[in-house]
Structure formats: C-alpha cells, structure tokens
Amino acid sequence: QFPFGRRLPCDIYWHGVSFHDNNIFSGQVNKFPGMMETVRKITLSRAMRTMQDLFPLEYNFYPRSWILPEELPLFVAEFRVMKDSNPSWKPTFIVKPDGGCQGDGIYLIKDPSDIRLTGSIQSRPAVVQEYICKPLLMDKLKFDIRLYVLLKSLEPLEIYIAKDGLSRFCTQPYQEPTLKNLHQVFMHLTNYSLNIHSGNFIHSDSVNTGSKRTFSSILCRLSSRGADVKKLWSDIISLVIKTIIALTPELKVYYQSDIPAGKPGPTCFQILGFDILLMKNLKPMLLEVNANPSMRIEHEQELSPGVFENVPSPVDEEVKVAVIRDTLRLVDPQKKKRKDTQVTVPPQQQWFGVQEHPGLWDLSPWRGWMGGALRSFQADPSAVLCCRCQSLEPAPGASEELPDAPPSPEAALPSLCLKQVFPKYAKQFSYLRLVDRVAALFIRFLGVKGTTKLGPTGFRTFIRNCKLSNSNFSMAAVDILYIDITRRWNSMGIDHKESGMCLQAFVEAFFCLAQKKYKSLPLHEQVESLIDFCECRLAALRDKRLVWGCG
C-alpha cells in the first residue's frame, strides 16, 4: 500500500476511490477517469433519458425521473395532468440526493408538495423517481440485487458480469406505500447500511438465509416455483449492456481528457455495482450504478454497548473474493505474454508481489492472499495497491521456500465467475450506440487536448465541415443555437471549471439539428441519418485533404 504515492512502475494500480494519479504512464488502473461523475444519480438519469427518447421500449427498465431543482415545475405540471386525467391514480415517488450514498437523505412522497425544500436544494440537487410499488417479495420482505460488472475496456467495449451477486433484504414485512408507512425505511429501503441498524437484521453463516443472501439462492427458490430463470438472466444481461452503452459516451469524453490519444498513459478497467430490483412479474428494474461498490467481507458485531468487533461474512466472501480474483486474472499482464510465448511459467513467476511500505502489509503468494488483502485494504480505501509480477524473486518478506505450484497459474484456480457479455452479444445491441457516435464527433472537434467542453469556434467548425448550414439555417442561427443551449446547461450547475458546451448540451443541439433536417422520421432515425451524413462529409473532407497532400 502506498498512502503517499508510489515510486516504481507497476502492472496494476488499485485505487481505493477514484482515478487520481497523473503520474501513471503505463500499466492498468482499476478506475476510469470520470466514472464517479458519470454514475451520479443526476448524470445517470440524464443519460438514461436520452436513450429513452431514442429507444423508449428498450430503456423502459429505468423509472421515470425528474431532476431537482430545475425540473420541479415540470414534475408538478406532469403530476397535475396525470391526476386530472385519472383521479383514482395514487402514485408514490422516491427522492434521492444526487451525491447521496448508503441510503442517506432518501425519502418517499405522495405529492410534489411533500418535497423537502428546507435547507438549500440548490446546494444539494436530487432526483425524484416513480417508486416501484409492486416488487417481488421473498418471505414477505422486499429485497434488491447487487450485481458486480467488470468494465474491462472502453474501446473496444468489453463487459463481464459476475455469475453470482448479493440479495439485500429489508427487515420489516412489505406493504404498499401509504401515508402511514411512508417513513418506515426498514420496509421500503433495501440499503444494507440502513437495515443493519434494525433489530430484525439477521447475520447468517448460510448463503440461503438471513438479511443478506447470494443471488443464486434466490434464483434457486424462483426456479423451484417454476419461474423462467434463464429469461430473467437474459433480461438482466440486456439491462446491464444497455446501461453501459448509455454511460460510455460521457466516459469517453473524460477518458480523452485525462489520457489523450498519442500520450503515454495507462489502460483502465473498473468493477461496478449494479443495484437492481425485481418486480412482481420478474421484470428487472435498474435502481442505480455504484462506481465504488463495497468490497468488505466482514461485518461489525456489537459485543457490548459501544464495543464492536469485525466478524467474517461468508456471503460477502463467497461473492466478492471471486469477483476480485477473476478481475485480476482477466487483466493479468503476464497472461498475454504467456500466450505469446507458450512457455510454462516457473513457480516464482506465479506470485504477485506488493512493493512494500514500512509498517504496512505485504501481499503474500497468489494462493490465500485475497481475503487478507481485502481486510487490509478496506482499512484505508484511499490508498493505492500496486502489484507487479515478480521474476525469479519471492515477494518482499516472503519465505525463500516456495510451496509447490501447478504447471500453469490458472490450473489451481476455479473456473471464472465473470461471464463476458460484450462483445459476445454485440450484434444484438450495436444499433443502440448512436450517442457513442455523436460523442465521437464531439471529441473530434474539441480541438484542445485535455478539455471536456466544446467552444464556439469548435461548434462552428463542426457545422461548416459537415455542411449543415444553408439559407434556412445561417451561421448566425448556429451561434444563437450554441449560446442558448450552452447557457441553459451551464445554469444547471454542470461543471463550471471549464466554459463551453458539454457533451450533454452537444447531444441536445445535435438532436435539434437532426429534427430540422429530417422532419418526417422518428427521432432515432433522424439522429442516425444525421450521423451518417456527418460521417460521410468528414470522410470526403479527409480524402480531399489526402489528395491535396499528395499533390
């Protein structure tokens, strides 16, 4: 562990919180630049809404959402229209602070007037969503699913899903929301960090019982009831892929800003936590995505008032150790070298070593180190764990005598718990990647490396190079469009560190241009047609410049 930075280059850097080291020029980092910002509740809701506008049926797994404070009037107006058209409609909404975690600040409401405007909602914006009133219950309790997803690569896109996850239960029997029970968090909120404080929370050594269980145990019970578990898994895989597709445009902008093309830098991977709720009809609904899912494999147990000790959690250990172990196997830099050379690796090279820091733990042999690594790392999650494959020497402080090792590093390990879903199923989902292509145009015209916002000159160059201006849409109108949209997005408090047009504003402007140019088509066809048109114009311009260069 290196709480104050590290000195030697490493193969794998394991940051505790976010990508924050500008001095890494090679290797792999377990965090993507901008991931924390991209999966925040407001940014995620905006990304999902963009995809819902383009593909409403494909993205109906995310609850309808409004962003506070700027969309409060819209929320009130739409609520009134629905109520007037259907007086018997009795909805429930859930309010989630944008930067909240572990259930902090979440509450349920029945009417827009119940939104808590005390304090300053400007300083703590939030998302209000339709509450899912008919969840699937087990033992009369509401529960959600935490699935671990490995984003192994952004370009090309590579996604893995863990074959097992966690099911986290409420601790009070569920009833549909009423004015009397809205405030009963142990009934409505599945957050582990909330329910662990309930007197009804059950710590269990079995993966099939208690307030936290494996997802596979839930699937077994559903299968015994005759449920179509294969279809459920298929729906979950589809939800994960579609969500990642919605997030990648923003991530690519952050990535090129921190690691510009042509500049030495690391590659990135990241484990994400997907929180999913099953409806009564077994339809999965996305609740949120966590950039830093907890990897604790222990829980606190109160021995006496105010005295706690850490106790192993078999459920957490079974799921999380496998996820981290297999993530390291998939990103192992020695794996490619072994494939390339086809040479049996000596036992000494089958070890991972940690560059030792005085007073801190060192990483022992590959076998048996994972539990200890997790326990030590969780004590200081802001530290950086740096691993490099040792050649011919044991890890610092390790015994000179190495235990017998199998011929291959993989031979002694279980089969992978992480299943590749993309590009494996790429053909089924490639048509959804329209905003990815819009983001590629945005990045192309950013101009200055390291920036995330498009200036007015860049926007005008985009319009001019793609030949989008004409007698009905002059360059003066282009400037007005740029100013109006940029000003509105900047007024929402979207990253004031840079001036200019952010990606979300550019996407809105692009959709506006598509609707002007292709009026009779559905929105997704309008956008796809304009993308094709722009890409064709830019390709022709590139060819023209090549000819000029040859001349």
Side-chain angles (χ1 to χ4, degrees), residues 6 18 143 247 302 371-372 390 475 538:
R6 48 104 198 99
S18 62
F143 68 96
L247 297 176
E302 191 168 15
Q390 305 284 27
M475 291 307 291
L538 294 172

Side-chain angles (χ1 to χ4, degrees), residues 272-334:
L272 303 171
F274 273 65
D275 292 346
I276 295 169
L277 186 75
L278 296 182
M279 293 178 66
K280 202 171 183 178
N281 61 1
L282 294 187
K283 178 180 177 174
M285 298 292 289
L286 178 68
L287 299 180
E288 60 183 59
V289 180
N290 291 272
N292 294 304
S294 169
M295 286 296 168
R296 285 183 65 100
I297 56 172
E298 300 170 330
H299 63 81
E300 286 186 340
Q301 182 171 303
E302 191 168 15
L303 301 177
S304 59
V307 180
F308 296 85
E309 72 168 352
N310 286 328
V311 179
S313 169
V315 177
D316 287 292
E317 190 157 345
E318 178 166 326
V319 174
K320 294 174 183 178
V321 167
V323 168
I324 296 185
R325 178 197 67 215
D326 292 348
T327 296
L328 290 174
R329 289 166 73 184
L330 286 168
V331 302
D332 177 11
Q334 299 299 310

Side-chain angles (χ1 to χ4, degrees), residues 35-45 62 68 94-107 121 123-129 146 168 189 191 193-194 273 275 287-293:
M35 181 65 83
M36 285 189 69
E37 293 80 1
T38 302
V39 300
R40 286 174 73 100
K41 294 175 180 65
I42 285 180
T43 316
L44 174 65
S45 294
Y62 191 70
L68 305 178
I94 184 166
V95 182
K96 303 177 182 179
D98 182 43
C101 61
Q102 300 181 335
D104 175 44
I106 296 177
Y107 60 97
I121 201 166
S123 62
R124 198 180 188 193
V127 169
V128 57
Q129 294 180 324
R146 162 62 61 83
R168 304 169 303 182
L189 303 184
N191 303 73
S193 53
L194 291 176
D275 292 346
L287 299 180
E288 60 183 59
V289 180
N290 291 272
N292 294 304

Side-chain angles (χ1 to χ4, degrees), residues 141-156:
L141 299 170
K142 180 181 174 181
F143 68 96
D144 74 354
I145 304 157
R146 162 62 61 83
L147 280 184
Y148 296 95
V149 174
L150 171 63
L151 182 56
K152 185 173 179 283
S153 169
L154 200 55
E155 194 62 61

